[in-house]
Amino acid sequence: MIFDETRDILEIVRRFMHFFVEESCGICTPCRAGGVDMLNKIERVVAGRACQQDLDECNQWAELMRCTSRCGLGTTAARPIITSIDKFPELYEAKLSKAKHTLLASFDLEKAMSGHAEVFKNLVEEVRK
Ligand code: SF4
C-alpha cells in the first residue's frame, strides 16, 4: 500500500489492528487476546497515554502471535505495529507519555472515576444521616 504524507501513520496502524481484531475467529488465544491488547495499546499511543512498556509488550505479543497462531491472520496481525515502530520510531517517541508519577501512563484516572463521583457523594451523604 502507498500512502502520501498527508496520512497519519498511527491512525492507519490503529485501523489495521481494528481490522485484525474484527477478523480473528478467536480459536487461538494469542491471536484473540493479543490483537485486542495491541489495539488497546495503539489507541493509547494515539491518545498520548502509552509508555515504553506498552511498546515492549507489543513486541512480546508479536513474537508470541507469530510463533503460536494457527493461520496467517494471527501470524501477521502484529506487523502493522511492529513495522511502524521499526520504520517510524519518532512517531511513537513523540506520543509516549513523559509522566513521572506513580500511576501507569496508560491508566486513565478520570475515565476510571467517571460516574463514581456521584456514587461517592451519595454514600457520604448516607453515612452522615
Ligand atoms: S490465528 Fe487464525 S485460526 Fe487462530 S484465532 Fe487468529 S484467525 Fe483464528
Side-chain angles (χ1 to χ4, degrees), residues 68-91:
T68 61
S69 294
R70 292 176 65 182
C71 81
L73 188 139
T75 59
T76 58
R79 279 196 187 162
I81 289 185
I82 300 309
T83 304
S84 58
I85 290 173
D86 183 44
K87 300 296 183 190
F88 305 100
E90 68 282 2
L91 297 179

Side-chain angles (χ1 to χ4, degrees), residues 89-100:
E90 68 282 2
L91 297 179
Y92 286 87
E93 187 62 36
K95 284 286 198 175
L96 290 186
S97 170
K98 308 290 188 287
K100 300 247 187 276

Side-chain angles (χ1 to χ4, degrees), residues 35-93:
V36 170
D37 195 46
M38 292 183 85
L39 174 60
N40 289 338
K41 290 180 188 311
I42 190 65
E43 287 179 342
R44 285 205 288 268
V45 169
V46 169
R49 292 188 296 102
C51 59
Q52 183 58 47
Q53 183 179 342
D54 290 307
L55 303 188
D56 294 343
E57 289 174 2
C58 281
N59 279 308
Q60 292 168 356
W61 269 123
E63 187 62 11
L64 183 66
M65 291 164 70
R66 188 182 66 77
C67 295
T68 61
S69 294
R70 292 176 65 182
C71 81
L73 188 139
T75 59
T76 58
R79 279 196 187 162
I81 289 185
I82 300 309
T83 304
S84 58
I85 290 173
D86 183 44
K87 300 296 183 190
F88 305 100
E90 68 282 2
L91 297 179
Y92 286 87
E93 187 62 36

